[in-house]
Amino acid sequence: MAKKSFYFRNEYQCTDSEYLVVGFSEKTFESGILERDFSDIYFEKRARPDHIYARFIFKILKGDDYEKNIFCSSICGSTVRFLWIVWGMFLCQGCDRFLDIQPKGYTIPSKYDDYRQLMNYAQMAKALDHYPVYITDDAQLGSGDEENNFTSMDDEIKNLYAFEHGAVFNDGVSDPIWNYAYNRIYVCNTVINNIMSVTDASESDKLNLKSEAMVARAFEYLCMIGVYAPAYDAATASTDYGLPLISSEDVADLNYSRSTVEQVYTAIKQDLDDALPALLDKTPNTFRPAKNVAYGFLARMYLMRGEYDKALENAKKALEVSEELVDLTEYTAKPNAYIGRIVRKDDPSSPYPEGMDNPENIYVRYPPSVFGLQMAVYASQELLDIYDKDLAPGAVDKRRELWFVDDEYSGVEFRGYTIFMPYIRANLALNNMEVILTAAECYAREGGTENLAEAARLYNLLRDHRIENNVHVTFANADEALVKVLEERRREFLGIYRFVDLKRLNKESRFQKTITHSADGQIWTLPPNDNRYIIPIPPVVKGFRPDLPDYER
């Protein structure tokens, strides 16, 4: 098999003949050194098709050294030609495409395995981006020449943190959430619209693959509607701007409009409902969705819509499969370590499980960069305070201990600040923790003796796995239960899902809040339900379709 090279401004060669390069993250080199510390370089290995991919992580240091780590496994090499076609979507910049996806051309596969591998290639194992955290009440940036100072941030981060009006991204700068979500939707559409025509697989196998692609597409839209639209409001959803709903694999077709929020939620529900009958009860790995994943996403969707009875109904179905959680009380942090920093107390060679090795995860998608927010943002004092709240004497919240570092780490000083740095690759898709908290919130909102008891059971179950010497609680009333569960969501949901929670909770007067940020002697505020919570259509897209309606922010 011929070796393949890949290029930015410098060329690197894959020296292992077992691997083909099929994708990499968009980072720019300057004199052979990354502008940022980390880049993902993806390789696909010729091996069993029920494994996913091999990921080489390169850390380019100041100088010529790099360190390389090999993560999980593989992909069948029989359809590499199609993976190269899809990879081309991500490499061509500046093409005139409304959705800011840039394929120069594509070929429709003809075999079942071809479509399976399209769903398995590296970009399909990613989701979202970390930038919305900078608008939330979890984030703090430094001043002057401190580490992670406001002035040193990219313009889009400064725009979010300072609650600037108008565009978030500068002209010519792609929005990574929008861009890559529609790239993945394109792949899903290719599978959904064509898999049933292949002749080398059973009807049940074809329907299963189609259903998995429908869940993946629903997930993308569910993520995007939380970013680019206001929180759901039944009174205005039929007129609020949502997203372009794309069901075709023909990305040259510009005949798209911006659907309403109601239409987007309807499409999400339709995909998940249609997918359920053909989904497996259990898949070979958690990069593929099983039935409980569809129920989990329906629960999330209904929670975002404020339909708590339906959210609870679907959360309960998802939890029938498993309520398993990772017990953080069994873990400790190695001093001055990065990758593999969190390890078992009884076996320091055993790191915290990631991806499909983590029994808490039921559907896995990674951040687009290796470690996302880690070492990139300070925790606000408000966030830190909530970890100390409601602890019994002698109890320790392991999330605070393991996920954050105060003042200094491995010779880097950030006195007076606490930085987020678990060095765990987060799962941005779905896990049992989220479904447990969704069910607990819905039980609390419904109220009544039995519902409050079940809310307390789930609340205590989660805290047993997060807090050393945890003491169980009971809830005296629905209001107390709801506040406690929402505080627990905040302890767990750092980043983009806190952003979505802020938007939906601002629709309730009792949970509305004004966010305050500060840096370099300046103070900025964001009131509840402000349009600056809505990320605008990227300028690159507006350049091709200036007629698309958008929010004034």
Side-chain angles (χ1 to χ4, degrees), residues 343-354:
V343 297
R344 288 191 60 86
K345 292 176 180 177
D346 58 0
D347 181 7
S349 66
S350 180
Y352 182 90
E354 296 183 358

Side-chain angles (χ1 to χ4, degrees), residues 143-192:
S143 299
D145 59 357
E146 296 170 329
E147 291 288 323
N148 293 323
N149 67 78
F150 174 78
T151 304
S152 69
M153 293 291 160
D154 292 336
D155 286 346
E156 60 268 21
I157 302 304
K158 289 189 283 189
N159 289 339
L160 290 168
Y161 188 78
F163 310 129
E164 294 289 351
H165 293 274
V168 171
F169 291 87
N170 293 337
D171 289 346
V173 178
S174 289
D175 176 342
I177 295 180
W178 180 286
N179 188 17
Y180 288 109
Y182 276 112
N183 274 308
R184 292 185 290 266
I185 287 168
Y186 164 79
V187 174
C188 293
N189 290 343
T190 300
V191 175
I192 292 166

